[in-house]
Amino acid sequence: MDFLKKLGIKQKNYGASTGLKWYGSKYAEELEVVSPIDGKLIAKVYQASENDYKIVSEKAHEAFLQWRKIPAPKRGEIVRLVGEKLRKYKDPLGKLVTYEMGKSLQEGLGEVQEMIDICDFAVGQSRQLYGFTMHSERPMHRMYDQYHPLGVVGIISAFNFPVAVWSWNAMLATVCGDANLWKPSSKTPLTAIAVQNILGEVIKENKLPEGLFSLIIGRGSSVGERMLNDKNVPLISITGSTAVGRHAAQVISKRFGKYILELGGNNAIILTENADMKLALPAIVFGAVGTAGQRCTTTRRLIVHENIYEKVKQVLIKAYKSLSIGSSLNAKNHVGPLIDKSAVDDYLNAIAQLKKEGGKVIYGGKVLTGKGFESGCYVLPTIAEAENNYKIVQEETFAPILYLIKYKGEVENAIQIHNEVVQGLSSAMFTNNLREAENFLSHWGSDCGIANVNIGTSGAEIGGAFGGEKETGGGRESGSDAWKAYMRRQTNTINFGTQLPLAQGIKFDI
């Protein structure tokens, strides 16, 4: 395919890079990358070894020692150039995201646009790495705080957003004065290799230190564990399952490292009697079936007032019947495949568990076969009636399954149901009632890191901090003041007087 050639993707690719060089052995274990769209082999990757990791990690640390001395606005200029390169390669990279991961072409191109947008955001941020000045209790003293570069930032990304989430971390870390070491998902390594090739052009053209942007593709049990235990990587940002995050947090904490965790979501939309269904319907459907239900912000639960429940159910079934399912490269299709057959098994197991617990599938629940579905990764988006306390409803299934849950009485009852899960990422309410909306957004309302009114759970903008609470991990990435996570904070006091007064009025005469 032409877009593979434009991005420098070969039939066989090395799995470790410092931006200027590629490392690895042709005798290493080969990772076969198959498209979930058509089941065809795209390319192979030689998986990196622990020795490859050692080389790349050391180069990243050496790059940090140089990069931290560059003024932040100059770092921002480099990020601007990265954004310009991404504009140049947006079309082929978007197509690769789609072909390798399976999301729709619009979403693939949109993900690259998100990378471009975060570059623009980070450029502005490079001139706003501010600290605060505080009044000292001691005369002739000035006290303030400031932020310094942290070191090498490790980024472990997931398959569902194979490039965008990396950019949230990497572009902010870069303007903060850090170097970056990226371990992408083994399910989507080719998009990472393509991005690394693009970054390599920026590094060469601007004579940047080798290792400023580094890549390592390999097994979690080998290179992944090396990264978690690497004292030269003071911060690791991890996107993945709660189980992965729990293990990583324990390992990193043992060495007093820092981490950003973006883990599971079990996101719900509350529909009150005062909801505008013209607004709500497209938000619900896109939130539930976009990326084939493989977003951390996917709408998984729909909590509906009993007085409108039957109407909502019928409207949703009609909308689901109108969905076009097929190759993600065809822009007319709404829904593409799941990432692989393992994800299909998870989908089927969830439906079986739902039925076992007493739930009912009212639409979908099938794997699609026949022409156009040869990969075996296509499923019918599913609507099911359930209770919030079902074990399967309490879990996050990375598939297009929407659970309908009925509530009675006041909106507080819906909010209580909403909060009774262990995850806390994204949430939404549709209502035209101000009191209901403000209850939902109050400190006794939604317990999620993201709470929306009259828009859905997915599609967060980069300007706001992204992340969640409870078993979602508590981390924040992207906008607002998320940049502070990539820096170390320092409090400074300067005495410009001729006396040495001590704090708290302590006297110490010698």
Side-chain angles (χ1 to χ4, degrees):
M1 292 183 173
D2 187 50
F3 59 83
L4 296 175
K5 185 177 180 180
K6 288 180 180 178
L7 296 166
I9 302 298
K10 303 172 184 177
Q11 188 176 5
K12 293 187 177 182
N13 305 269
Y14 287 109
S17 171
T18 56
L20 292 179
K21 299 177 184 177
W22 287 89
Y23 296 87
S25 168
K26 291 184 178 179
Y27 302 102
E29 181 182 3
E30 292 183 7
L31 180 65
E32 294 188 345
V33 186
V34 175
S35 172
I37 292 175
D38 55 19
K40 294 180 180 179
L41 177 69
I42 308 174
K44 297 181 181 180
V45 179
Y46 298 115
Q47 297 205 73
S49 66
E50 291 191 43
N51 187 59
D52 295 328
Y53 176 85
K54 182 175 183 294
I55 294 169
V56 170
S57 174
E58 288 175 354
K59 288 292 185 182
H61 182 66
E62 291 171 9
F64 162 68
L65 297 180
Q66 299 177 56
W67 187 244
R68 64 181 177 177
K69 295 180 181 179
I70 304 299
K74 296 294 184 181
R75 301 177 207 142
E77 173 62 15
I78 296 302
V79 169
R80 186 187 69 79
L81 295 175
V82 172
E84 290 302 311
K85 285 289 184 184
L86 289 171
R87 285 177 171 88
K88 176 182 176 182
Y89 288 101
K90 178 180 176 179
D91 184 70
L93 184 56
K95 288 178 179 175
L96 177 56
V97 169
T98 291
Y99 193 52
E100 184 178 35
M101 187 269 149
K103 63 175 58 178
S104 73
L105 183 57
Q106 287 190 61
E107 291 183 76
L109 294 169
E111 184 165 347
V112 181
Q113 184 61 49
E114 192 165 342
M115 300 174 77
I116 294 167
D117 292 344
I118 199 67
C119 286
D120 291 346
F121 180 92
V123 172
Q125 193 71 72
S126 70
R127 294 180 181 270
Q128 295 180 329
L129 305 177
Y130 53 81
F132 293 100
T133 298
M134 293 77 70
H135 287 275
S136 173
E137 67 181 68
R138 292 168 285 186
M140 311 295 283
H141 282 59
R142 182 164 68 90
M143 185 166 60
Y144 63 97
D145 62 25
Q146 60 180 336
Y147 291 83
H148 294 307
L150 188 60
V152 177
V153 171
I155 304 167
I156 299 176
S157 61
F159 74 86
N160 59 329
F161 280 86
V163 292
V165 174
W166 166 81
S167 69
W168 292 358
N169 290 275
M171 295 303 99
L172 289 180
T174 300
V175 299
C176 288
D178 303 320
N180 297 279
L181 177 53
W182 182 13
K183 182 185 179 303
S185 168
S186 294
K187 295 183 179 184
T188 51
L190 300 180
T191 47
I193 292 172
V195 171
Q196 189 70 8
N197 287 335
I198 294 169
L199 294 168
E201 293 185 15
V202 178
I203 291 172
K204 291 172 187 175
E205 291 168 5
N206 295 276
K207 299 180 180 179
L208 302 176
E210 179 184 2
L212 179 61
F213 297 106
S214 295
L215 178 69
I216 193 84
I217 298 168
R219 290 188 172 276
S221 58
S222 56
V223 298
E225 288 298 314
R226 280 293 298 264
M227 181 184 285
L228 297 182
N229 285 281
D230 192 347
K231 291 186 177 180
N232 278 336
V233 184
L235 170 70
I236 302 181
S237 176
I238 301 166
T239 304
S241 69
T242 297
V244 167
R246 182 176 286 112
H247 168 71
Q250 292 172 347
V251 175
I252 297 168
S253 294
K254 285 182 181 179
R255 62 176 175 87
F256 294 98
K258 299 180 179 180
Y259 51 80
I260 299 171
L261 300 178
E262 296 293 354
L263 311 177
N266 196 346
N267 318 294
I269 292 177
I270 296 173
L271 285 185
T272 79
E273 290 182 278
N274 300 297
D276 182 339
M277 282 304 299
K278 289 183 180 179
L279 282 180
L281 182 62
I284 296 165
V285 177
F286 176 73
V289 308
T291 324
Q294 298 171 116
R295 291 182 177 223
C296 48
T297 54
T298 290
T299 305
R300 309 205 179 277
R301 297 177 295 143
L302 186 62
I303 303 167
V304 187
H305 194 279
E306 62 177 347
N307 290 348
I308 60 171
Y309 183 84
E310 290 300 325
K311 178 183 177 182
V312 168
K313 184 167 68 172
Q314 296 307 317
V315 169
L316 277 176
I317 291 173
K318 182 179 179 182
Y320 270 54
K321 287 181 178 179
S322 71
L323 293 173
S324 179
I325 305 168
S327 170
S328 308
L329 292 171
N330 184 341
K332 294 181 180 179
N333 289 327
H334 299 101
V335 185
L338 292 175
I339 184 66
D340 54 25
K341 291 182 180 178
S342 175
V344 174
D345 290 340
D346 290 342
Y347 165 85
L348 292 173
N349 290 337
I351 291 170
Q353 179 65 26
L354 169 80
K355 293 177 179 177
K356 184 178 178 181
E357 293 190 65
K360 179 183 178 182
V361 172
I362 58 175
Y363 184 81
K366 299 177 182 178
V367 178
L368 298 174
T369 58
K371 188 177 180 180
F373 304 128
E374 290 86 356
S375 70
C377 296
Y378 292 85
V379 301
L380 199 57
T382 300
I383 307 170
E385 293 184 297
E387 297 292 336
N388 198 63
N389 60 2
Y390 288 175
K391 185 176 182 293
I392 192 60
V393 176
Q394 290 286 313
E395 298 173 358
E396 179 191 44
T397 302
F398 237 47
I401 303 174
L402 178 65
Y403 300 114
L404 301 190
I405 300 166
K406 189 184 299 184
Y407 83 93
K408 300 178 181 181
E410 300 300 319
V411 73
E412 288 81 2
N413 298 329
I415 294 172
Q416 181 178 345
I417 293 170
H418 171 277
N419 291 348
E420 288 178 342
V421 292
V422 296
Q423 308 87 354
L425 179 52
S426 187
S427 60
M429 174 184 283
F430 278 83
T431 180
N432 286 331
N433 184 298
L434 179 62
R435 289 177 177 174
E436 290 179 336
E438 289 296 338
N439 265 284
F440 180 67
L441 299 177
S442 71
H443 47 275
W444 58 85
S446 168
D447 62 1
C448 293
I450 300 169
N452 300 325
V453 173
N454 293 334
I455 63 170
T457 61
S458 61
E461 294 185 38
I462 62 162
F466 182 91
E469 300 300 322
K470 301 189 289 187
E471 290 192 6
T472 298
R476 294 296 186 275
E477 297 169 323
S478 193
S480 187
D481 64 348
W483 62 270
K484 292 180 179 179
Y486 307 94
M487 307 194 80
R488 60 182 177 88
R489 186 170 183 166
Q490 185 180 77
T491 300
N492 307 108
T493 307
I494 299 171
N495 179 0
F496 57 95
T498 58
Q499 303 295 319
L500 186 69
L502 301 178
Q504 293 86 47
I506 294 173
K507 301 293 183 182
F508 185 74
D509 298 323
I510 55 173

